[in-house]
Amino acid sequence: MRTGPGPDGELGQTYLDAAGVWAMAVGVESEAVPTTGAGAVIVLGAVRTAPERELIAEWAARHHPGAPVCLSVADLDDALAEAVPTADVVPVRVTWLPPTRAAEWADGTGAPPHRPKAVDLLALIGHRRPPTFWQRRLARNSPDRVQVVEGEPATLADLTRRHDEQAREEPLADFVFRAGVLSCERAERVVIGDHYTVPRMVVEQIVASTTVREKVRALAEKEGRAFDEVLDAMRARLADLAAVQNPLSIDAFRAALSPMHTSAWDVEVDAETVEPLRALNRTAPLVFLPTHRSYADPLVLGEVLRDHDLPRNTVLGGNNMSFWPIGPLGKRAGVVFIRRSSGDDTVYRLALREYIAHLVSKRFNLEWYIEGGRSRTGKLRRPSMGLLSYLVGALDDGRVPDVQLVPTSLVYNRLYELDAMAAEQGGADKSAEGLGWMARYIRGQARNDGHARVRFGEPFSLAGALAEAGDGPNRLDKVAFAICDGINRATPATPTALVTFALLGTGGRALTHDQIRDSTAPLLDHLDALDRPGPREGLHDDGLSRTLARLVSGEVVERYDGGDEPVWSIRDGRHRVAAFYRNGAIHHFVDRAIVEMALLAASRAPAGTDPVEAAWADALALRDLLKFEFFFPSKRRFSDDIAAETDLIDVRWRERVARGDGAADLLADARFLVAPRTLRSFVDAQWVVATKLAALDPAAEVDPKAFPRECLGLGRQMLRQGRVARPDSVSLELYASALDLARNRGLLEDPVGRPAFLAEIDEVRGRLVELARLEERRTEELLA
C-alpha cells in the first residue's frame, strides 16, 4: 500500500504499507498522541537545515507533545539514559518533492511520463534538496511539496537487543541513530517510489557488526597484522565500494548516459515475464543475472525496471567504466565499480563479500553480469564464479534466508560496438574506455538500429538450487549452470539471428528473398514446436525485408541487384559479425545438432551393436566435447531433451533406428539439418587447438594466456588452406574455450592423451563434413 489520497480524496492520510512503514504529511490536522510518561517516546530527527529542524519540532509538538526531540547522537545519548525500556523511538525526516513528483504522488500515478533531459535536471536541483533559504517559502506556499516522513518506531528494549546481537562494540546511541536514519529512508520510498532505494551509512553499518569484526580479527591474526590496521583497511575498501541511490544523482545519471542507448533501439519487453517479479520481490531480494552483449545493457535494463515500477537495482560492474562522468554519477546512482582482479588483497575480498551480504540482508535488489564481460562471439560465455560465491556465502552464514535469482535476456537486432568486438576476436587490441571512447560511442549510437528485447527467465530460489546441488565440490558450478540454462531458455531467436543462420550455411552463395524465407521457415517451426521464444517480428515479406535492410545498412550482408532479382549474401570480411548475430540463437539448435550427429554415428555402428545405444553414447560424448561451449542440463534432463528433439523428426525413431539403415533414413527424411551451421565453427576451433597441442614438445609448458593467441596464426593458415570452414572459427574466445576443455582433460600437464584428443575431434569434424554435403545437396535443390 502506498501513501496517497485517502478515501475522502485528501492528501496526507496515513496508511500502512506492505513493510509496516507509516508516512504522514505536514499540515494535516490529526489527533495528538499523548505522551504517557517521562521517557515514553523519543522523537529521533534526521535533519540537515534549520527549517527542517523547525518542521520536525512542529510535527513532534503536534503528534508527541512533551517528548524529547533528538537531532544528534549526543542528544539521543542523553535521552536514552533517561528512557524506560518500553519507550518508543520514533524516527522522522523531511522529504522534499519536485512539482512533478508531488503531483504524481497526489494522483497515485507512478514514474514521470518521459525520460529525463538536461532541462529536467535543472528543475530538480532546487527541489530534491532545496537550498536553506528556499525551504521556508516552499513549506509555506507549497505544503504538498514537503512531507515529514515517519519511519517504523521501535522500543528501546528491542533496539538494545538488536544492538547487543549485531554491534555490541558500537555505542548504543550511534547504533540507534543509524537505525533511525535507515528506517526513515525505507519510509521515504513510499513517498518517492520504489525507483529510488537508498543504502546509506553502509560502511558504518558493516564495520559495526560483531560478526564482521570477528572476521576482521581472524584475518588480522592469519596475516600477522594489527586488528586496527586491518579494520581501517576494511573501512577504506568499503568506502571505495559503497554506492548510494540518490534520487537527483539517479536522474542526472540517466540524463547524462541516455545518449548511449535511447536513440539506438526501440525497447520491447515481454510483459508476461515481468509480473511474477513484483510478487517475488515482496518476500525476498531479487538478483538479476543478464546476458552481456553491450555497454548499454545496464542502462536499458534500468529503464525497463523503472518503466514497470520495479525498484532500481544495485549494479555490480567493472571499474574499467568508472571514468568521469560515469564513475562519479554511477556511484551515486547505485553502481558499484569492482576491481577486475583483487590480486592478493584479502581485505578487499572480505569487504566485497560483506558488502554483498549487507545489501541482500537489507533486501536491496542486485544486478551483475555473470559472464564477467561482454560476449565476443554472441553466445553465452562461461560464468565467472566470484560474486556468486559471495552471494552463496551470505546464505551459508545465515545473513539472509534466501534470494530469488532472475535469469535475464537482452538481445539486439544490431550493435554498434560489434565491429570492435569482432576485431578483438581476430587479434586486435581492445580500446581503453574513457571520455574519448564515450564520445565515439554516443556518436555511433545516434541512429536507430532496430529493436532491443528484454525477457526475464523463470526466477528460482538460490536456497533451493543449493539444496538440489548438494554439498559436493561442484555445488557452485551446478547453480551457475542452472542460471545460464535459464538465461538461454529465456533468450529469444531474433530475426537477425535466424537470417544470418540461414546465410552462413550456404557456402558463400547468395539467396533470393524467397529462398531466405524458405530457409528460415523450418527454423521458426522448430522453435514453435519446442515452445521456445522466437522473433516478435515475423520473417515473412515485410518483416524479412526489414531485417535484410538492417543487415545491409550495417554492412553485414551484401545485396546484389544486377541480375533478374535481388540476392543477399554475407559480405566479405563480415563473417565474424554475422556469426555473432547467429550465435545469439544458436543454443536453441544445439540439441537438434547433436541428434543429427548421433543418428549419423548410429548409422555407422558396427554389426551386432545396438544402434539406439550407439546413438545415445555418441550424444553423451558430444555433450562432454561441447561442455565448454554450451550449457547442458543434468544427464537425465539432457536425455529427455534429446528424445523430444528426435520425436520432432519422427515419433517412431526408436523403432526405425533399431533396424538396418533406419538412422540414415531418418536423416534423409529430415525436413532440415542444422549440425554443420551450429557446430562446425566451434569444432574447427577445437581442432586448431588440438593440432597445436599435439605438435608441441611434450616437455614444453603451455601458457594458458598466451596459447590462444599463438593459435591465431595456425587458424589463419588453415582458413587460407580451406582446412577450416569459416572465418568466425578463427577466434581468441573459441580457442580459449577449447583450451579449457583440454585443461579439463588434463592435457596441459600430461601430453600423452593429446593425439587421442585430436583424433576424437577429427572424427567429429568428419561427420560434420558429411552432414554438410547432405545439407549442400538440399541447398542446391532450394536454389534450383
Side-chain angles (χ1 to χ4, degrees):
M1 194 181 301
R2 62 181 296 122
T3 305
D8 58 1
E10 294 190 7
L11 284 174
Q13 297 296 319
T14 304
Y15 298 94
L16 187 63
D17 78 348
V21 177
W22 294 83
M24 300 183 183
V26 167
V28 175
E29 295 299 330
S30 60
E31 184 177 350
V33 180
T35 302
T36 57
V41 173
I42 300 171
V43 176
L44 173 56
V47 301
R48 292 160 291 199
T49 65
E52 289 185 354
R53 285 195 293 272
E54 294 166 8
L55 289 167
I56 294 294
E58 178 186 346
W59 181 92
R62 183 182 305 117
H63 294 285
H64 300 287
V69 179
C70 303
L71 304 180
S72 68
V73 173
D75 293 342
L76 181 61
D77 197 22
D78 293 340
L80 293 178
E82 299 180 5
V84 296
T86 56
D88 281 328
V89 179
V90 181
V92 291
R93 79 181 311 166
V94 176
T95 296
W96 301 91
L97 304 172
T100 53
R101 176 58 72 186
E104 289 157 14
W105 182 73
D107 66 15
T109 60
H114 58 80
R115 304 193 192 284
K117 300 177 182 177
V119 67
D120 300 323
L121 299 182
L122 293 175
L124 287 171
I125 289 172
H127 300 289
R128 287 275 164 79
R129 187 178 293 177
T132 302
F133 66 87
W134 283 358
Q135 289 182 354
R136 285 191 180 91
R137 177 180 296 180
L138 285 173
R140 183 175 60 251
N141 298 336
S142 303
D144 62 329
R145 284 166 50 192
V146 55
Q147 309 294 327
V148 173
V149 175
E150 179 183 350
E152 187 173 8
T155 66
L156 176 57
D158 183 54
L159 289 165
T160 302
R161 178 186 56 78
R162 286 161 52 193
H163 166 263
D164 293 344
E165 291 174 354
Q166 300 173 16
R168 58 178 177 268
E169 297 183 33
E170 181 184 27
L172 176 62
D174 288 23
F175 175 83
V176 173
F177 195 90
R178 188 179 66 250
V181 171
L182 294 170
S183 179
C184 286
E185 289 177 346
R186 287 193 294 270
E188 190 175 53
R189 289 172 59 187
V190 178
V191 177
I192 65 175
D194 274 343
H195 312 294
Y196 305 115
T197 53
V198 191
R200 295 187 190 278
M201 306 178 73
V202 170
V203 176
E204 292 83 355
Q205 278 189 284
I206 294 175
V207 298
S209 163
T210 302
T211 301
V212 171
R213 285 178 176 250
E214 289 173 354
K215 291 181 180 179
V216 170
R217 187 169 283 108
L219 180 60
E221 292 174 358
K222 180 180 179 181
E223 298 188 350
R225 301 164 66 183
F227 169 76
D228 288 343
E229 176 193 347
V230 177
L231 186 63
D232 288 345
M234 182 78 165
R235 282 195 178 96
R237 304 299 189 276
L238 286 169
D240 183 54
L241 287 168
V244 298
Q245 292 194 15
N246 173 273
L248 179 58
S249 296
I250 290 172
D251 288 335
F253 182 79
R254 293 174 61 228
L257 272 61
S258 64
M260 294 181 67
H261 68 99
T262 52
S263 298
W265 307 285
D266 298 321
V267 179
E268 299 175 345
V269 183
D270 287 18
E272 71 277 7
T273 68
V274 178
E275 289 309 313
L277 304 181
R278 211 181 313 280
L280 280 173
N281 205 188
R282 297 190 187 103
T283 59
L286 305 180
V287 177
F288 291 82
L289 298 158
T291 52
H292 202 8
R293 299 294 176 265
S294 169
Y295 284 108
D297 288 340
L299 307 177
V300 171
L301 183 55
E303 292 302 318
V304 167
L305 296 177
R306 178 183 177 83
D307 290 346
H308 289 80
D309 206 29
L310 285 165
R312 186 176 181 85
N313 294 336
T314 295
V315 181
L316 293 91
N319 65 356
N320 59 308
M321 296 297 292
S322 62
F323 60 87
W324 186 92
I326 294 178
L329 282 176
K331 194 172 175 65
R332 292 165 177 78
V335 181
V336 181
F337 295 102
I338 298 173
R339 297 178 189 175
R340 306 295 283 185
S341 172
S342 60
D344 296 327
D345 193 337
T346 53
V347 178
Y348 183 84
R349 290 198 291 272
L350 177 61
L352 181 55
R353 172 175 174 152
E354 292 305 316
Y355 182 49
I356 290 174
H358 168 82
L359 289 173
V360 294
S361 71
K362 300 301 181 185
R363 297 278 303 275
F364 289 104
N365 293 346
L366 303 185
E367 171 190 333
W368 77 77
Y369 294 79
I370 195 168
E371 298 169 88
R374 293 170 301 146
S375 171
R376 267 60 172 182
T377 64
K379 70 177 182 67
L380 199 60
R381 301 173 72 184
R382 303 285 299 177
S384 295
M385 300 294 193
L387 295 179
L388 182 61
S389 70
Y390 294 156
L391 185 64
V392 169
L395 267 69
D396 289 342
D397 290 349
R399 302 287 292 278
V400 61
D402 198 9
V403 301
Q404 290 289 326
L405 304 180
V406 186
T408 304
S409 164
L410 292 92
V411 294
Y412 305 88
N413 277 356
R414 275 186 53 197
L415 280 173
Y416 157 74
E417 60 220 77
L418 186 49
D419 286 351
M421 290 193 291
E424 290 166 21
Q425 287 312 292
D429 292 332
K430 180 178 180 290
S431 298
E433 294 85 355
L435 195 56
W437 165 89
M438 183 176 175
R440 292 190 298 274
Y441 189 88
I442 288 173
R443 285 197 299 271
Q445 293 282 78
R447 68 174 183 177
N448 186 284
D449 277 344
H451 300 279
R453 186 171 169 189
V454 180
R455 294 187 87 249
F456 299 103
E458 184 175 348
F460 62 93
S461 157
L462 176 56
L466 289 170
E468 185 177 345
D471 296 326
N474 296 323
R475 177 184 184 226
L476 199 62
D477 289 334
K478 291 177 181 178
V479 175
F481 273 58
I483 294 166
C484 294
D485 184 53
I487 292 172
N488 274 338
R489 289 177 182 271
T491 300
T494 66
T496 305
L498 296 178
V499 169
T500 51
F501 191 98
L503 290 175
L504 283 167
T506 65
R509 286 174 292 191
L511 298 180
T512 67
H513 187 282
D514 289 347
Q515 289 164 347
I516 296 171
R517 183 191 61 210
D518 292 343
S519 295
T520 57
L523 304 178
L524 289 167
D525 292 344
H526 191 67
L527 292 171
D528 288 342
L530 293 172
D531 196 26
R532 300 287 175 86
R536 283 187 166 185
E537 182 182 38
L539 285 175
H540 301 287
D541 302 325
D542 291 345
L544 178 55
S545 297
R546 284 191 293 270
T547 300
L548 288 168
R550 278 194 292 267
L551 288 168
V552 170
S553 66
E555 298 183 345
V556 180
V557 167
E558 183 177 56
R559 170 174 169 155
Y560 178 74
D561 291 292
D564 293 338
E565 59 180 321
V567 291
W568 289 264
S569 61
I570 303 297
R571 184 182 288 270
D572 288 344
R574 305 292 283 171
H575 286 77
R576 283 196 189 95
V577 175
F580 182 98
Y581 290 123
R582 176 203 63 193
N583 290 349
I586 205 169
H587 55 279
H588 292 304
F589 303 104
V590 170
D591 287 348
R592 168 65 184 238
I594 289 176
V595 165
E596 294 169 6
M597 292 286 285
L599 288 174
L600 185 55
S603 72
R604 297 175 172 181
T609 303
D610 183 345
V612 175
E613 289 296 327
W616 175 237
D618 187 70
L620 287 176
L622 288 168
R623 178 181 181 270
D624 185 73
L625 187 70
L626 298 169
K627 66 186 179 183
F628 284 87
E629 300 296 348
F630 304 104
F631 298 95
F632 296 104
S634 66
K635 288 185 179 180
R636 178 178 299 176
R637 205 176 101 194
F638 176 73
S639 172
D640 293 340
D641 291 346
I642 292 298
E645 284 280 358
T646 317
D647 283 345
L648 295 178
I649 299 176
D650 189 335
V651 293
R652 298 174 296 117
W653 64 269
R654 291 177 181 82
E655 174 187 337
R656 292 184 62 181
V657 169
R659 63 172 192 263
D661 296 329
D665 291 341
L666 272 178
L667 283 174
D669 293 345
R671 182 184 171 197
F672 65 102
L673 298 173
V674 300
R677 287 177 286 173
T678 302
L679 303 180
R680 181 66 188 270
S681 296
F682 304 100
V683 175
D684 274 353
Q686 291 179 337
W687 189 57
V688 169
V689 169
T691 301
K692 188 80 171 174
L693 279 173
L696 279 180
D697 182 340
E701 185 176 346
V702 178
D703 183 344
K705 291 185 176 179
F707 191 81
R709 192 166 291 276
E710 294 170 7
C711 290
L712 280 175
L714 179 60
R716 290 168 183 153
Q717 172 195 321
M718 290 182 167
L719 180 64
R720 286 168 170 79
Q721 293 174 313
R723 297 168 67 192
V724 296
R726 303 188 189 101
D728 60 282
S729 70
V730 184
S731 162
L732 284 173
E733 194 160 304
L734 296 189
Y735 292 152
S737 294
L739 191 64
D740 286 340
L741 174 65
R743 181 192 292 110
N744 179 257
R745 295 191 176 189
L747 301 179
L748 301 196
E749 299 79 15
D750 183 6
V752 174
R754 292 175 186 174
F757 182 53
L758 175 59
E760 177 187 358
I761 296 171
D762 202 36
E763 190 277 330
V764 171
R765 287 182 73 250
R767 275 187 282 153
L768 284 171
V769 169
E770 185 171 339
L771 287 173
R773 293 194 189 103
L774 179 58
E775 187 179 24
E776 186 176 351
R777 288 196 292 271
R778 297 190 176 184
T779 302
E780 290 172 352
E781 294 171 1
L782 178 68
L783 294 172

